[in-house]
Amino acid sequence: MEQVEKVIDERLQGKALVTQNKKGNTKKLFIESYGCQMNMNDSEIVASILEKEGFNTTQKLEEADLVLVNTCSIREKAETTVRNRLQKYNAVKRINPKMKVGVLGCMAERLKSKFLEEEKIVDLVVGPDAYRDLPNLIEEVEAGRDAVNVILSKDETYADVSPVRLNSNGVSAFVSITRGCDNMCTFCVVPFTRGRERSRDPQSIIKEIRSMQERNFKEIILLGQNVDSYLWYGGGLKKHFKNASEMAKATAVNFASLLDMCATEFPKMRIRFATSNPQDMTLDVIHVMAKHHNICKYIHLPIQSGSNAVLKAMNRQHTREEYMELVDNIYKIIPDVALSQDIIAGFCGETEQDHQDTLDLMRYVKYSFGFMFAYSERPGTLAGKKMSDDVPLEVKKRRLQEIIDLQREHSLLRTKEFVGQVQEVLIEGVSKKNPDKWKGRNTQNTVVVFPKENYKMGDFVNVKIESCTSTTLIGTAVGYSESN
Ligand code: SAH
Ligand code: F3S
């Protein structure tokens, strides 16, 4: 339970995000981010936009001219966390009355100008597609007016904004490839807060990765709500094609080709991606993963429920059987792959049998990791409007606990498989528990710790695994790996 809670908390945790300061900038920005990795990357985009406006980041709330909180709406708890945080800003504003406070992200989009009425501390409300407007909005606020921009866009991808890396370990960086989601899962608020799905120009993606490589980054995490539906139509010579649809088809870059391009262009960089929606994941993607050593052998493949009735009520576009077939194919093509899940316990109408089906499916897949949640009704979603949140809280909690306990068993089973093996690890930081040890991950995304010796951050090291817990592999380095 603690591990799972910890993982979930890490997703929700707000942190003051800082970077090195740009000379000549005099204004101070305190920015923190809650929720998913996409929010984290968006905060980096925001910091980049504001750096040009004279803002440097600070870790001290008390000295901030501008406080921005990038928010998450995915579950009620995420929103409550942010509201509590606003109380803390309130206390600081009493000492520093000039401080302005802005809300970004999904809660901004969901609540719009209502935020200004509900939370008096808030001066500025900006949705995920409106960050380019921040300089104007800040001017408004400085002139003493409230400022709101929550317009969603069909084409904004911030492709040309080079994100300032915040709280970066200098090894691993996020690169967004799509924004928004068109899937309309009935429980999910994301399509309402992040708008329509759009893909980013592959050339701008390659350019960003190249600049990360030049700055010595070693790992790129391609981000999207649904990376497998990435699709870019663009370029190409019209005259070679009979009609627009033929041209679009011939010149389209899908996720498999984007992955292939990235892995070929940057053979020394690890490439990860998240999230894969089972309905859009093709065998092409899995073959591309198998072909390149530098594409990590890890797929986050949310299932949400193992019951067909619940999957249908959730508007997930696949059945339990189709999911199992996909998993069979993945294990066949990449036998050493690690899979992880998202599961929701206690969705509307979920019976005890449905819950058993979920546990049963988990036993079939034996996921390495999991992110598990009790269903939280979200206003505005189809489930929120049309379905009854009828599983009692106690039952939800018990089912969630059973899912978590089973996942813990499977995680341990998976980590034990590595004991005795040599694993290639990218060093990403110092172990929290022991400052004499490095911490990194193997290609399957499992954390590995080992004595530092003379290795450095960003090195690829072969580590002999000697023991494990359900979350961590413990070993000793046996030399540099060929990936350096
Ligand atoms: N495709 C996205 C999913 C975003 S939401 C991605 O990139 O991960 C992350 C997870 O939160 C979902 O997979 C789902 O398991 C969970 N979730 C979403 N809405 C929820 C709700 N209303 N209650 C509980 N969990 C929810
Ligand atoms: Fe949400 Fe489903 Fe999209 S979970 S982000 S609507 S794929």
Side-chain angles (χ1 to χ4, degrees):
M1 180 81 186
E2 300 118 56
Q3 168 56 19
V4 174
E5 283 298 331
K6 201 177 115 238
V7 175
I8 294 170
D9 273 359
E10 268 171 20
R11 274 191 170 187
L12 291 177
Q13 207 63 69
K15 267 190 222 146
L17 305 172
V18 283
T19 185
Q20 72 272 36
N21 287 339
K22 189 169 168 193
K23 265 207 182 133
N25 277 359
T26 53
K27 292 184 272 184
K28 292 201 163 62
L29 165 69
F30 179 95
I31 181 165
E32 55 183 354
S33 208
Y34 290 82
C36 62
Q37 296 168 324
M38 187 71 92
N39 256 10
M40 182 66 207
N41 190 223
D42 279 1
S43 295
E44 297 181 328
I45 287 168
V46 166
S48 168
I49 291 170
L50 292 183
E51 196 182 61
K52 295 190 181 67
E53 300 297 312
F55 283 94
N56 277 337
T57 47
T58 174
Q59 240 170 337
K60 293 192 195 117
L61 188 51
E62 306 74 36
E63 64 173 33
D65 299 296
L66 176 65
V67 175
L68 294 178
V69 55
N70 201 348
T71 61
C72 173
S73 287
I74 200 79
R75 284 167 290 275
E76 199 181 349
K77 186 177 164 219
E79 293 204 351
T80 317
T81 310
V82 167
R83 295 216 190 237
N84 292 338
R85 197 65 189 129
L86 292 174
Q87 297 311 312
K88 168 78 182 165
Y89 299 165
N90 232 335
V92 176
K93 194 159 176 165
R94 267 181 241 127
I95 313 165
N96 175 9
K98 283 205 318 277
M99 178 179 112
K100 302 292 179 202
V101 174
V103 181
L104 314 176
C106 289
M107 272 177 93
E109 194 61 49
R110 197 176 82 69
L111 294 160
K112 305 188 169 56
S113 55
K114 262 198 283 179
F115 229 126
L116 299 172
E117 294 152 30
E118 289 177 17
E119 304 283 350
K120 293 283 171 258
I121 176 101
V122 175
D123 306 293
L124 183 71
V125 179
V126 191
D129 287 346
Y131 298 146
R132 281 184 207 269
D133 198 25
L134 268 164
N136 302 323
L137 296 166
I138 291 167
E139 247 175 57
E140 285 292 296
V141 168
E142 279 167 357
R145 293 184 284 269
D146 291 334
V148 180
N149 186 344
V150 289
I151 297 169
L152 288 171
S153 157
K154 288 206 176 94
D155 46 30
E156 178 64 273
T157 59
Y158 301 107
D160 58 324
V161 179
S162 165
V164 163
R165 300 298 166 182
L166 297 168
N167 284 14
S168 171
N169 57 10
V171 175
S172 183
F174 298 126
V175 175
S176 295
I177 64 164
T178 68
R179 295 181 71 84
C181 184
D182 283 349
N183 279 331
M184 301 304 270
C185 301
T186 55
F187 54 81
C188 184
V189 78
V190 171
F192 303 95
T193 58
R194 291 194 155 265
R196 298 298 302 273
E197 184 187 289
R198 64 223 98 118
S199 296
R200 176 178 169 187
D201 180 342
Q203 288 312 322
S204 80
I205 297 172
I206 297 284
K207 197 170 145 206
E208 187 175 336
I209 303 178
R210 181 164 305 119
S211 90
M212 300 320 296
Q213 188 179 42
E214 282 160 4
R215 288 158 61 190
N216 250 329
F217 279 77
K218 298 291 170 66
E219 181 183 82
I220 288 301
I221 305 157
L222 303 175
L223 290 183
Q225 299 300 335
N226 183 2
V227 284
D228 294 84
S229 68
Y230 175 89
L231 196 57
W232 173 260
Y233 303 94
L237 294 169
K238 251 183 197 150
K239 60 183 179 194
H240 292 305
F241 303 100
K242 272 196 229 114
N243 54 44
S245 89
E246 197 182 306
M247 181 201 76
K249 244 193 194 155
T251 59
V253 177
N254 63 14
F255 185 56
S257 38
L258 179 73
L259 257 188
D260 200 24
M261 272 164 69
C262 296
T264 309
E265 186 86 17
F266 306 104
K268 292 280 177 202
M269 269 184 130
R270 264 191 176 179
I271 296 170
R272 297 187 183 276
F273 56 87
T275 296
S276 294
N277 191 314
Q279 76 201 41
D280 294 309
M281 179 142 215
T282 62
L283 291 186
D284 285 356
V285 169
I286 303 157
H287 285 295
V288 171
M289 288 177 75
K291 181 172 129 190
H292 294 278
H293 176 75
N294 59 329
I295 303 180
C296 289
K297 304 297 177 273
Y298 167 56
I299 307 172
H300 181 52
L301 198 63
I303 177 66
Q304 317 297 0
S305 167
S307 146
N308 278 334
V310 176
L311 287 171
K312 189 145 191 260
M314 287 175 161
N315 193 32
R316 301 289 286 184
Q317 302 293 318
H318 60 83
T319 61
R320 164 194 176 87
E321 291 75 22
E322 284 162 343
Y323 184 91
M324 286 158 85
E325 192 187 324
L326 176 63
V327 167
D328 288 345
N329 281 322
I330 295 173
Y331 283 153
K332 222 180 284 161
I333 299 167
I334 316 174
D336 60 345
V337 76
L339 298 181
S340 64
Q341 44 85 351
D342 283 349
I343 291 177
I344 298 177
F347 185 61
C348 309
E350 186 188 75
T351 64
E352 210 49 45
Q353 183 56 48
D354 294 326
H355 170 58
Q356 289 304 325
D357 287 352
T358 297
L359 296 174
D360 196 55
L361 185 111
M362 289 175 73
R363 287 188 199 99
Y364 184 81
V365 181
K366 298 202 173 55
Y367 296 98
S368 299
F369 323 96
F371 300 91
M372 296 144 286
F373 317 98
Y375 171 59
S376 164
E377 186 178 281
R378 307 313 295 132
T381 58
L382 195 78
K385 286 193 284 199
K386 296 267 163 69
M387 299 178 202
S388 157
D389 183 8
D390 53 3
V391 178
L393 188 61
E394 284 317 302
V395 177
K396 271 186 198 170
K397 280 190 177 162
R398 193 252 306 149
R399 289 181 188 167
L400 177 63
Q401 192 57 51
E402 288 174 11
I403 292 167
I404 290 170
D405 290 345
L406 185 60
Q407 181 53 54
R408 183 165 320 107
E409 263 178 47
H410 292 159
S411 296
L412 183 61
L413 197 119
R414 290 301 188 187
T415 51
K416 276 184 173 166
E417 289 174 350
F418 291 116
V419 176
Q421 288 190 24
V422 172
Q423 291 290 302
E424 181 178 80
V425 178
L426 170 62
I427 302 180
E428 293 169 51
V430 178
S431 155
K432 269 190 206 138
K433 281 196 192 137
N434 184 343
D436 299 326
K437 287 190 174 187
W438 287 126
K439 170 185 81 174
R441 281 171 296 161
N442 64 1
T443 183
Q444 288 88 352
N445 204 40
T446 302
V447 173
V448 182
V449 296
F450 59 97
K452 281 182 170 172
E453 300 180 56
N454 291 326
Y455 299 103
K456 309 183 301 301
M457 288 277 286
D459 284 345
F460 286 96
V461 179
N462 286 327
V463 179
K464 174 99 198 257
I465 308 302
E466 287 141 0
S467 62
C468 68
T469 67
S470 65
T471 58
T472 310
L473 304 176
I474 301 139
T476 309
V478 293
Y480 290 103
S481 92
E482 280 172 16
S483 297
N484 280 295

